[in-house]
Amino acid sequence: MNLKQLAAHLNLSQTTVSRALNGYPEVSEQTRKRVAEAAQALNYAPNARAKGLATGRAMAIGHVIPISTQHQMMNPVFGDFIAGASEEYVKAGYDMTLSVTGDRDEEENYRRLKAKGNVDGIIVHGPSMHDGRIPFLRKLGLPFVVHGRASELDTAYSWVDMNNTHAFQRATNFLLDLGHRRIGLINGLEFMDFAYRRRLGFEQALTARGFAPDPALLASGEMTESYGFEAAQRLLALPEPPTALLTSSVIAAIGIRRAIHAAGLEMGRDVSVITHDDDLSFLRNGPDLPIFTATRSSVYEAGRIAAAMLLAHIEDPSLPAQSRLLEAQLIIGGSTGPVPSSAPASAN
């Protein structure tokens, strides 16, 4: 059903129906409700192109996927974020565009999107600690929301982030409470803001309990299964290996579990493991009892919140910068247990 047919069904003008659907204040609440109910009952969906012509908008949101020489976008996490964001886009009648860019042409990509009028706003993914995209987009005048934060930028911008520092403080304290002292961190690339904050939380928890972080037990890299395997294999081969490992991704955790088994050890008994990002739609952390103890924060929900925030900025450009800090849950699974009785009692 198109707008003309919906208007005829309601015996209203197309202008009135269009204004009712788009929330214009001069339309009465009674008429607005009547139009909305009819649109839902008859499965009417506004034509995005026609709506764009009426509002002067592209009716599309851009997601630029960085293909970097230094890191790759983790597609499983990105996919769940997009699924959550799409829920909001569909409700608002917006489409989504994806474009791929490299390190050198990312700013040019944003400039091109702005000049062509292809999108009304941008979601920025994977911020580094001093991310140049944020001041660039502010200067460009293109509405945007950042998934994450840039710790070293002192400027106002809208963002949605998980409290990485607190999540890794909590996870580290949980391992310390189990008696572990040799705790390794298998982290993401630490020029990325989330990884920097996670290491900060890890180190703060150790220091507060009187233990110095051991540089030999720290690893940083791209969060792949093979990286998790290789980093864990190296740490487990140390003269004083860790009795517990904390990692930034369930994908790396799968590699860690493989390394533990390859060493003839049992995860949860000989080596405890806590991971983050275990709440992925296609990679469930066990059907009933979670396989991994994990700090859990829904990427899907972060996508939904970021999209709603961006759409609000597009609707009202005068809105001040907004922020949302999400707290992670600590989910207890089968990958953690008390420190083995054979472990040395030395401090970390």
Side-chain angles (χ1 to χ4, degrees), residues 161-275:
D161 197 12
M162 194 270 291
N163 194 339
N164 290 287
T165 302
H166 183 247
F168 273 52
Q169 282 176 335
R170 191 176 180 190
T172 306
N173 279 320
F174 180 77
L175 292 170
L176 290 168
D177 289 344
L178 288 171
H180 295 280
R181 299 295 179 260
R182 297 283 294 170
I183 303 173
L185 175 65
I186 297 179
N187 202 7
L189 292 162
E190 291 179 351
F191 64 84
M192 304 292 285
D193 196 83
F194 76 89
Y196 161 74
R197 291 180 185 273
R198 291 177 188 179
R199 177 168 172 174
L200 185 64
F202 169 76
E203 292 179 337
Q204 285 177 348
L206 287 173
T207 302
R209 301 278 284 266
F211 305 111
D214 185 346
L217 299 182
L218 304 178
S220 172
E222 189 68 52
M223 293 185 297
T224 61
E225 192 276 347
S226 59
Y227 158 67
F229 174 79
E230 291 162 6
Q233 194 175 48
R234 177 178 62 80
L235 295 183
L236 293 172
L238 291 172
E240 287 187 68
T243 62
L245 295 168
L246 178 57
T247 186
S248 279
S249 167
V250 70
I251 297 172
I254 293 169
I256 291 169
R257 180 174 63 171
R258 182 161 66 94
I260 291 170
H261 291 167
L265 303 171
E266 183 178 332
M267 185 175 73
R269 184 194 67 190
D270 302 306
V271 183
S272 288
V273 177
I274 299 183
T275 185

Side-chain angles (χ1 to χ4, degrees), residues 60-211:
I61 302 298
H63 289 258
V64 179
I65 307 171
I67 303 299
S68 172
T69 57
Q70 297 175 295
H71 72 97
Q72 300 294 323
M73 177 68 66
M74 288 302 293
N75 289 328
V77 174
F78 180 72
D80 269 24
F81 183 93
I82 288 293
S86 296
E87 180 182 316
E88 295 298 314
Y89 300 154
V90 169
K91 286 194 296 186
Y94 275 73
D95 294 323
M96 180 182 67
T97 69
L98 295 178
S99 57
V100 176
T101 187
D103 292 329
R104 296 182 180 179
D105 59 355
E106 191 163 3
E107 289 187 358
E108 180 56 35
N109 203 332
Y110 291 131
R111 190 180 287 110
R112 185 167 58 250
L113 287 171
K114 167 74 171 178
K116 288 184 175 181
N118 289 343
V119 299
D120 298 307
I122 291 284
I123 299 284
V124 176
H125 296 275
S128 62
M129 292 175 65
H130 189 85
D131 201 299
R133 294 173 296 176
I134 293 170
F136 178 81
L137 285 168
R138 278 175 54 86
K139 185 177 179 181
L140 192 62
L142 188 61
F144 69 95
V145 169
V146 181
H147 181 210
R149 285 176 285 173
S151 297
E152 295 181 355
L153 281 184
D154 185 20
T155 186
Y157 59 94
S158 291
W159 53 263
V160 177
D161 197 12
M162 194 270 291
N163 194 339
N164 290 287
T165 302
H166 183 247
F168 273 52
Q169 282 176 335
R170 191 176 180 190
T172 306
N173 279 320
F174 180 77
L175 292 170
L176 290 168
D177 289 344
L178 288 171
H180 295 280
R181 299 295 179 260
R182 297 283 294 170
I183 303 173
L185 175 65
I186 297 179
N187 202 7
L189 292 162
E190 291 179 351
F191 64 84
M192 304 292 285
D193 196 83
F194 76 89
Y196 161 74
R197 291 180 185 273
R198 291 177 188 179
R199 177 168 172 174
L200 185 64
F202 169 76
E203 292 179 337
Q204 285 177 348
L206 287 173
T207 302
R209 301 278 284 266
F211 305 111

Side-chain angles (χ1 to χ4, degrees), residues 171 174-175 178 245-247 253 267 273-276 278 285 290-296 330-337:
F174 180 77
L175 292 170
L178 288 171
L245 295 168
L246 178 57
T247 186
M267 185 175 73
V273 177
I274 299 183
T275 185
H276 182 68
D278 75 314
N285 185 6
I291 297 169
F292 292 102
T293 296
T295 53
R296 175 180 294 178
L330 181 62
I331 306 298
I332 310 303
S335 65
T336 50

